[in-house]
Amino acid sequence: MNIGQAAKASGISEKMIRYYESIGLIAPVGRTDAGYRVFSDKDIHTLRFIFRARSLGFSVEQMGNLLALWQDRHRASADVKAVAYAHIEELDNKIERLMSMRRTLQHLAEHCHGDHRPDCPIIGDLAGLADPLDAALSSEHPTSPESVRDTVSQS
Amino acid sequence: MNIGQAAKASGISEKMIRYYESIGLIAPVGRTDAGYRVFSDKDIHTLRFIFRARSLGFSVEQMGNLLALWQDRHRASADVKAVAYAHIEELDNKIERLMSMRRTLQHLAEHCHGDHRPDCPIIGDLAGLADPLDAALSSEHPTSPESVRDTVSQS
DNA sequence: TTGAAGTTTCCTATCATTGGAGAGTTGAAC
DNA sequence: GTTCAACTCTCCAATGATAGGAAACTTCAA
């Protein structure tokens, strides 16, 4: 099997297959006399393993660990589980960070008129107004850099 | 104000301030005769704006748009709102992708014995078994590359 | 005057991935 | 047999946001 077929069969691009080989995530595969890579069924299977692990968000380093565990007949499932839970925790952290951003932004956006007027609590928050919602709802002037700077330097 | 003080006051590292200047996100600031950057109150305020936008997950490009809107006294709040909602959608996509990974991984991990035995539905799933949970729960042999390959090539 | 701390620019690296250039190989049609 | 398209090879560069370091220069206080 050539690299093109291997890419199609595994879901991993040719570029990435070469890359994974270059960084040692996968062992160097066979070569023809002309230097073309030759992929065995086992190689393809390893690539599919990587494809699935990647789609679960595992990093290259974690995939290396998982591959090692996969190839270890005497592994303890507890070790695999530990890698999985460590990754779940990472995912949780990322999710929480994104959801926190989302909450803040949603809250600000909900209170933005969204019309032709310049006043906007979103800009107000970014500009660092103490209470961007109130400011936007009550102020008569837009929250542009100059006006904000004035406000700030006056305080 | 020197760059060190500006970094402390804004929460953005010196490195990143220079970077933001180099890519044109912020205009070049003043310089002393010796070439040291000099930050005005307004510059600091812009940096804080960027700091807050970044902490809400906006990309450099989006921050450029937001800065332009901020500096535009005649902006329509609808434009700001549109940028915000576009970003919320991006956040939603990222969150959903991560949560999907989390769900799958959690499901697999819950069914992993987590003991000294090698059988593990997590590895089984990565290896591409049709039903990794069943396979892991019922098989007598670990799901190592060779055994999987045999299984696959037999099918 | 000296020395530490601050600043400058420039180069490098990260992570995972994509793109391209230039050279060589394969395989099928003519 | 030649030709031509499709494929593959290696190497180099770029992405986006950030960090680290080197070498040279400036500032400021002791």
Side-chain angles (χ1 to χ4, degrees), chain B:
Chain B
M1 241 190 183
N2 279 341
I3 196 170
Q5 300 165 288
K8 272 183 196 158
S10 66
I12 300 179
S13 70
E14 302 180 19
K15 289 272 181 192
M16 290 311 295
I17 293 175
R18 295 196 192 97
Y19 171 69
Y20 288 148
E21 194 193 61
S22 78
I23 62 171
L25 178 64
I26 58 178
V29 299
R31 299 275 185 151
T32 65
D33 290 346
Y36 279 27
R37 286 179 182 77
V38 180
F39 294 79
S40 68
D41 283 358
K42 189 181 168 188
D43 293 329
I44 301 298
H45 207 72
T46 301
L47 289 175
R48 287 224 205 99
F49 184 101
I50 290 171
F51 179 78
R52 290 202 177 80
R54 199 184 47 170
S55 72
L56 286 177
F58 285 102
S59 68
V60 167
E61 192 184 349
Q62 287 170 317
M63 289 194 292
N65 296 336
L66 288 172
L67 280 170
L69 286 170
W70 184 34
Q71 271 136 22
D72 176 10
R73 282 185 169 277
H74 304 298
R75 68 173 171 263
S77 61
D79 292 342
V80 181
K81 199 170 184 173
V83 174
Y85 272 119
H87 184 43
I88 286 177
E89 209 176 309
E90 279 177 39
L91 290 173
D92 282 344
N93 289 339
K94 283 188 190 171
I95 290 167
E96 179 44 39
R97 245 176 285 140
L98 293 175
M99 283 181 48
S100 166
M101 293 177 188
R102 207 218 112 101
R103 274 193 302 273
T104 304
L105 210 48
Q106 178 76 32
H107 179 67
L108 293 170
E110 272 168 8
H111 291 86
C112 172
H113 303 306
D115 57 18
H116 64 286
R117 287 172 295 174
D119 305 274
C120 174
I122 302 164
I123 286 281
D125 178 82
L126 293 175
L129 291 183
D131 193 335
L133 289 184
D134 278 8
L137 293 170
S138 62
S139 90
E140 291 176 22
H141 304 294
T143 313
S144 60
E146 293 76 14
S147 62
V148 168
R149 184 164 64 86
D150 293 344
T151 306
V152 168
S153 36
Q154 276 162 16
S155 68

Side-chain angles (χ1 to χ4, degrees), chain A residues 116-146:
Chain A
H116 65 285
R117 287 172 296 174
D119 305 275
C120 173
I122 302 165
I123 286 282
D125 179 82
L126 293 174
L129 290 184
D131 193 335
L133 288 183
D134 278 9
L137 292 171
S138 64
S139 90
E140 292 177 22
H141 304 294
T143 314
S144 59
E146 293 76 15

Side-chain angles (χ1 to χ4, degrees), chain A:
Chain A
M1 239 186 183
N2 279 341
I3 197 169
Q5 300 165 289
K8 272 183 194 159
S10 67
I12 300 178
S13 71
E14 303 179 19
K15 287 274 181 191
M16 290 310 294
I17 294 174
R18 295 194 192 98
Y19 171 71
Y20 287 148
E21 193 192 63
S22 79
I23 62 170
L25 179 64
I26 58 177
V29 299
R31 298 276 185 149
T32 64
D33 290 346
Y36 279 28
R37 288 180 182 77
V38 180
F39 294 79
S40 68
D41 283 359
K42 190 181 167 188
D43 293 329
I44 301 298
H45 207 71
T46 302
L47 288 175
R48 286 224 207 99
F49 184 102
I50 291 171
F51 178 79
R52 291 202 179 79
R54 200 185 44 170
S55 72
L56 285 177
F58 285 102
S59 68
V60 167
E61 192 184 350
Q62 287 170 317
M63 290 196 290
N65 295 337
L66 288 171
L67 279 170
L69 285 170
W70 184 34
Q71 270 135 23
D72 176 10
R73 282 186 169 277
H74 304 299
R75 67 172 170 262
S77 60
D79 292 342
V80 181
K81 199 170 183 172
V83 174
Y85 272 119
H87 184 44
I88 286 177
E89 209 175 308
E90 279 176 40
L91 289 173
D92 282 344
N93 288 340
K94 283 187 190 171
I95 290 168
E96 179 45 39
R97 245 176 287 140
L98 293 175
M99 283 181 45
S100 165
M101 293 177 188
R102 206 218 112 101
R103 273 193 303 273
T104 304
L105 210 47
Q106 178 77 33
H107 179 68
L108 293 170
E110 271 167 11
H111 292 85
C112 173
H113 304 306
D115 55 19
H116 65 285
R117 287 172 296 174
D119 305 275
C120 173
I122 302 165
I123 286 282
D125 179 82
L126 293 174
L129 290 184
D131 193 335
L133 288 183
D134 278 9
L137 292 171
S138 64
S139 90
E140 292 177 22
H141 304 294
T143 314
S144 59
E146 293 76 15
S147 62
V148 168
R149 184 164 66 86
D150 292 345
T151 306
V152 168
S153 37
Q154 276 162 16
S155 67

